[in-house]
């Protein structure tokens, strides 16, 4: 692999001003604005808001950084092949390097640049917005880092009338001593009361709660159990909100408060966009190629959502879930093999598109 | 205006709107802590707009203090006080503090003072609420709020009605 060309492509895919811009946007989203502390301290019930403010800021920082980086990565990646055809064919095309090698090297440089954006966002959002070394503040108490162990339940919502009970079995080992289990519920029409109360039970732990809006019923079993149940003990109807309303969370060993895992999700998302934009940029103008790459990603997300497969798209539901986990002070799940395969597929597509466009370019370069 | 607001300049308000949208999304999901975090960020991004302070105060006074959400009267009174605290915080920062003070007076005189005593049990009853509303209106008038006279006339009328009822 041609290292100077790889470095050049990486710099072009992630130029310093663009990295600085993404870092700046992330920083602006993370930084604690003056006055916020006074606002949240109007109530003692805001202790949770103060404690989780940094997690929320980190999530916002990631979101803002990813949005800006997605556009920049697509645009800069699409510009790389455009330069081949504009003014670099004269020297690049006659170096004797194979077409595949040129494409492969440039693509590797672009993916390195895309990863650079992820690192920059992670450094700013992870270091300032949360993570294990973040300052906790006066009101904070360190909480154990959790990650999602399993999701279960019916695919559709179900209604519990007063006195009725819903039980969900979970896989062996999903509920242990250090696990938290929660069920998504909401009050519903159909019974006497407008709101209701619910009891959640798992192993020897029981918790009761008034349900006046959509909320989570959560319990921390002190020993292993195979099931969790919720009973409507109020006068109103209770909806168990599908799809898959039961979540089990276990202690996580993720490093960096889960920010490293989130960086992995973001990296795959940016690689997906960059590779597509690179491939399309070999066939059309960089602006159109970048826009088309973003549009294709959006269309894929909508299409996959309609068939409930949105979790396999880099930057899709898995990234949204990872951001939600960070905002709750929990760790995202590691990157799945399906996500990696999807990103690898996009890289292969980008390579094939760019490689096939170079046949004409090489012949023209040699004849000139 | 803080340094972040200065840096963001004209887009600070747009950024606050995004936070308000996320606040509504979090409320819809039942993630109250997250929702209040977004609201606090939105208010600090654009603390000069009265609408944000009114939105959060409304949520506390009419939603969280609702008997459907909170059966305990003491807890309901606490949420209502939080709502008024939000309005007072806004008075110190918003460009139209009189609007916030007049809104606090309106809630006290036309809503809380009308509630049955057994439902909320506000200390001092309707008379105390009307007296507080009068103070709020005087503050609103000092900031140049409009239609203060109309609200004051209403309060005087209500006080006369209460006197006639012997309350």
């Amino acid at each position: 692999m041609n290292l100077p060309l790889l470095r050049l492509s990486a710099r072009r895919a992630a130029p310093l001003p663009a990295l600085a811009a993404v870092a700046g946007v992330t920083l602006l989203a993370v930084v604690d604005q003056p006055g916020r502390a006074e606002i949240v301290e109007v109530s003692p019930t805001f202790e949770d808001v103060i404690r989780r403010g940094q997690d929320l800021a980190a999530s916002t920082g990631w979101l803002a950084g990813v949005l800006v980086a997605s556009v920049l990565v697509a645009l800069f990646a699409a510009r790389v092949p455009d330069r081949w055809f504009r003014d670099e064919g004269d020297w690049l095309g006659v170096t004797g390097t194979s077409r595949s090698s040129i494409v492969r090297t440039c693509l590797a440089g672009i993916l390195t640049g895309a990863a650079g954006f992820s690192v920059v966002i992670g450094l700013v959002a992870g270091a300032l917005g949360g993570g294990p070394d973040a300052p906790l503040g006066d009101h904070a108490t360190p909480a154990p880092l959790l990650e999602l162990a399993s999701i279960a339940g019916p695919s559709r919502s179900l209604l519990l009338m007063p006195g009725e009970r819903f039980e969900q079995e979970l896989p062996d080992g999903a509920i242990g001593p250090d696990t938290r289990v929660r069920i998504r519920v909401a009050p519903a029409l159909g019974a006497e009361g407008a709101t209701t109360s619910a009891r959640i039970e798992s192993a020897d732990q029981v918790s009761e709660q008034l349900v006046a809006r959509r909320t989570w019923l959560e319990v921390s079993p002190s020993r292993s159990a195979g099931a969790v149940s919720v009973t409507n003990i109020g006068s109103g109807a209770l909806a168990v909100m599908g799809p898959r309303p039961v979540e089990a969370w276990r202690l996580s060993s993720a490093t960096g408060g889960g920010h490293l895992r989130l960086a992995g999700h973001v990296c795959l998302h940016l690689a997906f966009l960059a590779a597509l934009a690179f491939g399309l940029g070999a066939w059309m103008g960089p602006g159109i190629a970048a826009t088309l790459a973003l549009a294709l990603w959006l269309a894929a997300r909508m299409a996959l959502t309609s068939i409930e497969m949105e979790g396999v798209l880099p930057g899709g539901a898995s990234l949204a879930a990872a951001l939600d986990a960070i905002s709750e002070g929990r760790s995202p799940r590691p990157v799945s093999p399906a996500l990696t395969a999807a990103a690898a597929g996009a890289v292969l597509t980008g390579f094939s598109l760019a490689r096939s466009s170079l046949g004409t370019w090489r012949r023209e370069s040699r004849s000139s | 205006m803080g340094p972040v607001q200065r840096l963001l300049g004209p887009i600070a308000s747009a950024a606050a709107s995004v936070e308000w949208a996320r606040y509504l999304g979090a409320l819809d999901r039942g993630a109250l802590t997250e929702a209040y975090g977004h609201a606090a960020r939105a208010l600090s991004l654009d603390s000069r707009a009265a609408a944000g302070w009114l939105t959060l105060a409304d949520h506390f006074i009419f939603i969280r203090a609702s008997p459907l959400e909170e059966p305990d009267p003491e807890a309901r009174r606490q949420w209502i006080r939080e709502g008024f605290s939000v309005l007072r915080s806004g008075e110190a920062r918003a460009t139209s503090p009189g609007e916030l003070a007049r809104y606090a007076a309106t809630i006290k005189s036309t809503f809380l003072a009308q509630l049955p005593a057994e439902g909320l049990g506000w200390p001092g009853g309707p008379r105390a609420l009307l007296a507080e509303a009068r103070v709020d209106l005087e503050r609103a008038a000092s900031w140049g709020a409009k239609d203060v006279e109309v609200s004051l006339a209403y309060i005087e009328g209500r006080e006369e009605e209460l006197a006639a009822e012997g309350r």
Side-chain angles (χ1 to χ4, degrees), chain A residues 28-36 38-46 48-49 52-53 56-57 59-61 63 184 194-195 210-216 324 327-328, chain B residues 2-5 7-8 19 22 27-34 36-38 40-41 43-45 53 56 59-60 63-64 68-71 78-79 82 85-86 89 93:
Chain A
L28 276 177
V30 166
V31 74
D32 198 12
Q33 291 90 17
R36 194 186 69 85
E38 295 163 48
I39 295 159
V40 296
E41 280 186 21
V42 294
S43 165
T45 57
F46 271 127
D48 272 354
V49 179
R52 285 178 42 191
L56 193 65
S59 158
T60 304
L63 187 61
R184 190 169 49 233
T195 60
L210 177 71
V211 181
R213 58 172 63 241
R214 182 184 288 218
T215 188
W216 289 102
D324 282 346
S327 71
E328 285 188 74
Chain B
V4 176
Q5 288 167 301
L7 265 174
L8 289 174
E19 288 289 1
R22 297 177 78 195
L27 274 188
D28 194 43
R29 292 197 307 275
L32 290 175
T33 305
E34 197 179 325
Y36 298 155
H38 288 304
R41 289 175 67 83
L43 288 172
S44 52
L45 276 169
W53 300 100
L56 190 57
H59 171 78
F60 288 153
I63 307 293
R64 292 310 302 269
L68 292 177
E69 289 225 359
E70 193 53 78
Q78 182 60 32
W79 280 117
E82 301 305 344
S85 297
V86 168
S89 294
R93 296 174 177 84

Side-chain angles (χ1 to χ4, degrees), chain A residues 44-45 67 76 82 96 120 132 138 164 184 198 211 216 261 271 276 280 288 295 305 320 323 328 331-332 361:
Chain A
T45 57
L67 283 175
F76 287 127
D82 186 59
V120 163
D138 295 338
E164 289 184 338
R184 190 169 49 233
V211 181
W216 289 102
R261 288 183 178 180
L276 271 188
L280 293 169
I288 297 173
T305 301
L323 286 168
E328 285 188 74
S331 169
W361 167 67

Side-chain angles (χ1 to χ4, degrees), chain A residues 160 164-170 175 181-183 185 198-203 205-207 217-219 225-232 238 240 246:
Chain A
L160 297 181
E164 289 184 338
R165 183 168 182 265
F166 161 75
E167 183 170 311
Q168 176 65 48
E169 291 194 0
L170 289 168
I175 305 180
V181 186
R182 65 183 189 179
I183 301 180
V185 295
R199 180 170 60 231
I200 179 170
E201 295 169 79
S202 183
Q205 294 297 307
V206 180
S207 174
L217 299 172
E218 189 165 303
V219 70
V228 59
S229 70
V230 61
T231 309
N232 183 355
L238 180 75
V240 177
V246 182

Side-chain angles (χ1 to χ4, degrees), chain A residues 1-3 5-6 9 84 92 95-109 278 351 355 358 362:
Chain A
M1 194 170 283
N2 188 332
L3 280 179
L5 185 58
L6 187 142
S9 299
W84 296 342
L92 192 57
T95 53
T97 312
S98 72
R99 285 176 288 184
S100 295
S101 177
I102 290 172
V103 174
R104 203 168 49 238
T105 307
C106 286
L107 188 53
F278 172 71
F351 173 81
R355 169 71 177 74
L358 281 194
R362 286 279 296 195

